[in-house]
Amino acid sequence: MAQTITGGCLCGAVRYKITGDLIFSGKCYCEDCRKSGSTGHSSVLAVPEPSVSLTGKLTEFKKKGSSGQPISRKFCPVCGSRISSAAAVMPGVLMINASSLDDPEKFVTQMSVFASRAPSWDQPPASSPAFPEMPPQAH
């Protein structure tokens, strides 16, 4: 279902608007998401990159993901709020951090990935599928 979702960083220097359909939403419990997110997981909305319009400047940090391919994380250089990430293994897909949404209720977990790595104090919700690593890919 097409919708418009807005969000931005803590200080307001970065703003975005998403117009269109979501690809998926979920929680990731990999080590990178835990460490970069200051909690046991990262919650993201995956959207087609062209559906996002952004104002403000972002700083980028790149690192190899578990696939061996790079993941780019972008954040506000003023307040440090995480805004998005993009994985080379998913070209054209932008993952927006749910913590940056203006209306946090726009995020609904459809799945959890790398659930085998979830800490005891932050377990995946029982209300949606949880994959021990990444879900099987459809070909």
Side-chain angles (χ1 to χ4, degrees):
M1 179 173 148
Q3 55 184 316
T4 298
I5 298 173
T6 59
C9 67
L10 181 62
C11 73
V14 176
R15 296 289 306 154
Y16 63 81
K17 179 165 79 170
I18 304 164
T19 306
D21 294 327
L22 301 177
I23 299 170
F24 66 85
S25 60
K27 297 182 180 206
C28 181
Y29 292 85
C30 78
E31 182 179 12
D32 286 355
C33 284
R34 286 195 323 263
K35 287 188 174 192
S36 66
S38 303
T39 188
H41 69 279
S42 179
S43 298
V44 298
L45 301 171
V47 298
E49 197 165 1
S51 72
V52 180
S53 60
L54 182 105
T55 58
K57 187 175 215 161
L58 291 172
T59 297
E60 180 179 44
F61 173 73
K62 280 189 178 182
K63 182 181 182 295
K64 276 188 191 176
S66 62
S67 68
Q69 297 297 311
I71 295 178
S72 169
R73 289 181 170 76
K74 294 188 177 180
F75 55 94
C76 174
V78 178
C79 66
S81 297
R82 287 180 52 209
I83 301 296
S84 67
S85 56
V89 296
M90 292 189 289
V93 176
L94 194 61
M95 290 170 279
I96 301 293
N97 285 67
S99 60
S100 69
L101 297 172
D102 288 338
D103 179 358
E105 297 305 315
K106 295 283 186 180
F107 175 79
V108 177
T109 303
Q110 293 177 329
M111 71 176 133
S112 296
V113 297
F114 294 103
S116 65
R117 303 175 192 190
S120 62
W121 47 268
D122 189 5
Q123 290 291 295
S127 59
S128 60
F131 298 93
E133 299 297 317
M134 287 298 286
Q137 300 294 311
H139 291 106

